[in-house]
Amino acid sequence: MSNDQHELREACAETSFPAIASPLVNQAIEQARTVASDPSAEGLHQLRITMRRLRSLWWAYRPLLDAGENTSQRELFRSLADTAGRTRDYDILIELLKLQREDWKALPPEILEARQKALDVGREVFSNPATKTQLLGVLSQTSDELVARQDRQPLQAFSDERVAISESQLRRRMRRASKAKRSNFAAFHDVRKAGKKARYLLELFGPVLSRGHRKTLNELKEVQKRFGALNDVVASENLLRDNAPLLAATGEPERTLKWFKQERERRLRAVAALIRKQWK
């Protein structure tokens, strides 16, 4: 174990928070600055991941913080993540439409215009100085609240407990999904969300966690891969269903929705098979 890792394990959860959170917040601010000057779908996608990691970290510290403030702060991260990810959502839709319609020579202009609008909105939000101010304000407020606490607990014990709770939530949701009908997408989507949170916490607290959590991280990679593929289809199908002009622009709405339904069911079977394997 390196000296840095040893010192981290000996540290307190409350006073260690700024050292854990600051690099993430700074990364988000830098990614937002890059997106503002040169917007790209990949840049926005990476920014969405950072926002989700921040939301998971704030969830981990929730027991030590004011419940109302913590909820509003995590909602800020969720909202910014959604804004950042909208362009990526359109890119996934475009990829799936190309898969469905191999005979297309050019994408409908309506879809390209919708994607550009999402890109412009993301650029506008993240070029606003208020976004940086909000992120730094949340970091400062939370850090001050934690450092001011009179009671202290070891970072390793705290991290192990919070990661264990996230893993337990994941197992419960997988168990529920294993008994659900394949038409119950919400049950499968809950597994995906729980898996993301557990993975982000395993990565964030990795240097101080006990060895027992490493197996979970490896298992989560396959879980996220299959659940992500399913979510891509469901999210794209919903994007079309919620936007009639966009669906009409495909030229053959009924054929398009039929293909998405078939693809959704195929990917659901793959997800169900994975869950059965995990819970056999």
Side-chain angles (χ1 to χ4, degrees), residues 94-234:
I94 289 170
E95 290 173 7
L96 290 170
L97 287 173
K98 287 181 177 178
L99 182 63
Q100 183 243 340
R101 298 283 297 276
E102 296 179 355
D103 57 330
W104 265 356
K105 295 181 180 180
L107 289 166
E110 293 88 346
I111 295 177
L112 296 177
E113 289 170 6
R115 179 195 181 277
Q116 185 61 47
K117 182 178 179 180
L119 190 66
D120 292 341
V121 169
R123 181 176 188 173
E124 180 180 354
V125 169
F126 294 109
S127 63
N128 190 331
T131 299
K132 177 180 178 180
T133 301
Q134 283 180 308
L135 291 173
L136 290 175
V138 168
L139 172 63
S140 176
Q141 179 182 358
T142 304
S143 298
D144 290 346
E145 184 179 349
L146 287 168
V147 171
R149 287 178 62 91
Q150 296 300 314
D151 52 331
R152 294 283 188 270
Q153 54 185 306
L155 177 60
Q156 184 178 38
F158 170 80
S159 302
D160 275 334
E161 179 183 5
R162 295 304 287 165
V163 168
I165 290 174
S166 73
E167 291 173 336
S168 178
Q169 289 179 346
L170 173 61
R171 287 192 294 270
R172 287 199 305 272
R173 292 184 180 186
M174 288 190 71
R175 190 177 297 111
R176 188 181 306 128
S178 70
K179 300 176 182 178
K181 296 180 180 179
R182 286 205 296 268
S183 59
N184 184 5
F185 173 69
F188 295 98
H189 187 55
D190 284 344
V191 174
R192 179 173 179 264
K193 291 190 295 184
K196 279 182 175 293
K197 181 168 66 179
R199 181 175 180 179
Y200 292 148
L201 293 182
L202 285 164
E203 293 170 345
L204 286 167
F205 292 124
V208 300
L209 292 174
S210 58
R211 295 179 180 273
H213 297 288
R214 294 178 182 176
K215 181 181 178 182
T216 303
L217 185 57
N218 293 328
E219 292 175 346
L220 280 173
K221 293 178 181 179
E222 181 62 24
V223 170
Q224 285 191 288
K225 179 180 178 181
R226 294 203 195 182
F227 277 84
L230 169 62
N231 187 72
D232 286 349
V233 171
V234 174

Side-chain angles (χ1 to χ4, degrees), residues 45-58:
H45 176 57
Q46 292 303 318
L47 179 54
R48 173 165 64 173
I49 292 175
T50 302
M51 290 299 171
R52 286 174 171 172
R53 286 164 63 87
L54 283 167
R55 191 163 187 256
S56 296
L57 179 61
W58 257 253

Side-chain angles (χ1 to χ4, degrees), residues 242-269:
D242 293 341
N243 192 324
L246 210 62
L247 178 59
T250 64
E252 297 180 316
E254 292 185 5
R255 176 187 172 189
T256 299
L257 291 179
K258 181 179 179 181
W259 182 88
F260 270 94
K261 179 181 178 181
Q262 293 172 338
E263 188 66 14
R264 168 166 42 89
E265 291 177 348
R266 185 183 71 81
R267 299 190 186 195
L268 268 169
R269 287 194 295 271

